[in-house]
Amino acid sequence: MMQILELFSGIGGVAEAVRQSPQLGRIHQAVDIDQQCARVYAHNFGDSPVVATIESPHSWQTNIDWRSADAWWLSPPCQPYCRRGRQAADDPRRAAFQQVMRVLQSAGDAVPQRIAMENVPEFRGSDDHQQWLRLLNELGYRVTEQCLCPSAWQRPNRRLRYYVTAWRSDICEQPPPPVTPSPGSLPVDPLSTYLDAEVDDNLWIDDTQPGAFATALQAGALHIVDADDEQACTACFTGGYGKSIKQAGSYLRVGGRLRRFSPNEIQRLLGFDAHAFTWPDDIPLRRRWKMLGNSLALPVVRDVLASLMYN
């Protein structure tokens, strides 16, 4: 059973995948810098993540128990690479991932047997991407790269992400197998089955008043899906949902009215258990949206982890 170090753990996407499919392994340790995310993680999974700055060498020496884990999952910040980010060489948000690479470079015999990583598709082709592949090759890893979307798992949500899986050549000389939907992981439920029966009034939008929202609506710049459309597929929900009007996620049309999706609806679309995964009462709406926007698509994550167990 894989002992997984969940770096950049957020609200616990990998922990939720393991809870749903215990045969995938167990979380050896979770690490994140965000204390509020750590509270949500502990609320749902019991164990509290280590709250630490991953870019700090001191954290790796004193807080992060990386030598005892045989598998690492990385979900480093995507903002330095995404289209709406700076995509700049001096972006300080690259520091944590670069520190991960430095730890691997100097780990010697303690390098993990298996590694999985998730990021935005634009990561591929970046300077960090090239450095990452060179490092894995130098350390003797066999690597598979893919861009995967939960819509291929017949989820009514588009969230295309870059994934890399790697294992050491002493485990297997061949790269990990490409990730494909596993049998039984393909629900065919329409969007309506992911929706709340009742929602708070603050999710509804008054699009009759002049302003930025009405302007974007009139310009056709918003992605709108109908609640009763059996073929509807939502756009990617980002950490800016509820703050940015455009390109942060879909809006729902119900009976001629528009509203935003609730956090519970988004977590269902991402594959979080609708009953087991809950929120502390004091986490405000916009923070829930932000945390979910920075999280993972669980149907894909489960099969990525399964591919690391293939041999």
Side-chain angles (χ1 to χ4, degrees):
M1 178 175 289
M2 291 191 297
Q3 305 294 308
I4 303 168
L5 175 63
E6 187 180 6
L7 295 168
F8 312 96
S9 56
I11 60 175
V14 176
E16 175 70 0
V18 168
R19 178 164 67 179
Q20 293 178 14
S21 301
Q23 73 276 10
L24 295 175
R26 63 177 295 273
I27 303 300
H28 170 72
Q29 188 183 60
V31 186
D32 200 275
I33 193 174
D34 191 309
Q35 294 188 8
Q36 205 167 40
C37 281
R39 285 185 53 235
V40 176
Y41 191 112
H43 175 79
N44 282 282
F45 306 109
D47 294 333
S48 181
V50 171
V51 178
T53 50
I54 294 175
E55 61 266 34
S56 167
H58 179 73
S59 295
W60 290 86
Q61 295 166 3
T62 60
N63 301 114
I64 302 175
D65 185 17
W66 57 275
R67 292 179 178 85
S68 301
D70 56 22
W72 291 12
W73 179 284
L74 322 174
S75 297
C78 65
Q79 291 87 350
Y81 316 108
C82 63
R83 286 190 296 269
R84 301 183 72 181
R86 293 177 61 220
Q87 297 182 326
D90 63 347
D91 193 317
R93 292 168 294 190
R94 298 173 57 202
F97 178 58
Q98 291 172 332
Q99 178 61 25
V100 171
M101 289 193 283
R102 284 191 288 270
V103 171
L104 275 175
Q105 180 73 62
S106 60
D109 293 340
V111 294
Q113 294 179 344
R114 298 168 169 87
I115 296 174
M117 176 183 166
E118 176 265 358
N119 213 282
V120 292
E122 293 83 0
F123 175 83
R124 201 169 192 170
S126 68
D127 291 342
D128 284 347
H129 171 248
Q130 298 304 316
Q131 184 180 350
W132 178 233
L133 291 187
R134 285 196 299 270
L135 174 61
L136 293 176
N137 182 64
E138 290 169 4
L139 296 176
Y141 283 94
R142 299 294 179 258
V143 177
T144 296
E145 298 180 276
Q146 292 179 270
C147 283
L148 302 167
C149 181
S151 60
W153 276 251
Q154 297 189 30
R155 293 273 174 173
N157 180 240
R158 295 188 180 92
R159 192 180 182 87
L160 186 66
R161 289 294 184 266
Y162 164 84
Y163 295 88
V164 60
T165 49
W167 55 39
R168 292 191 328 223
S169 57
D170 60 334
I171 296 176
C172 185
E173 282 293 332
Q174 301 299 317
V179 176
T180 57
S182 59
S185 69
L186 295 176
V188 293
D189 299 327
L191 176 63
S192 59
T193 63
Y194 295 84
L195 303 180
D196 294 333
E198 298 181 2
V199 296
D200 293 338
D201 290 342
N202 59 357
L203 293 178
W204 294 99
I205 299 168
D206 183 2
D207 56 2
T208 64
Q209 299 297 317
F213 186 90
T215 300
L217 179 62
Q218 292 170 6
L222 306 179
H223 188 264
I224 299 171
V225 293
D226 290 297
D228 57 358
D229 181 359
E230 294 190 357
Q231 303 301 316
C233 189
T234 54
C236 178
F237 294 96
T238 75
Y241 194 64
K243 180 179 180 180
S244 299
I245 294 175
K246 298 183 291 184
Q247 297 179 334
S250 297
Y251 297 87
L252 185 69
R253 183 184 287 115
V254 185
R257 298 178 65 192
L258 287 179
R259 68 169 175 85
R260 294 182 175 90
F261 283 78
S262 74
N264 287 341
E265 291 169 335
I266 295 173
Q267 75 183 53
R268 291 187 200 110
L269 287 165
L270 292 177
F272 285 80
D273 189 290
H275 303 290
F277 189 91
T278 60
W279 297 89
D281 291 338
D282 62 343
I283 304 295
L285 175 64
R286 186 162 289 179
R287 281 292 291 162
R288 297 185 190 194
W289 276 330
K290 184 176 179 64
M291 292 176 185
L292 286 165
N294 290 329
S295 194
L296 302 167
L298 272 295
V300 185
V301 170
R302 287 196 300 269
D303 284 338
V304 170
L305 288 173
S307 76
L308 287 178
M309 302 173 63
Y310 180 80
N311 65 325

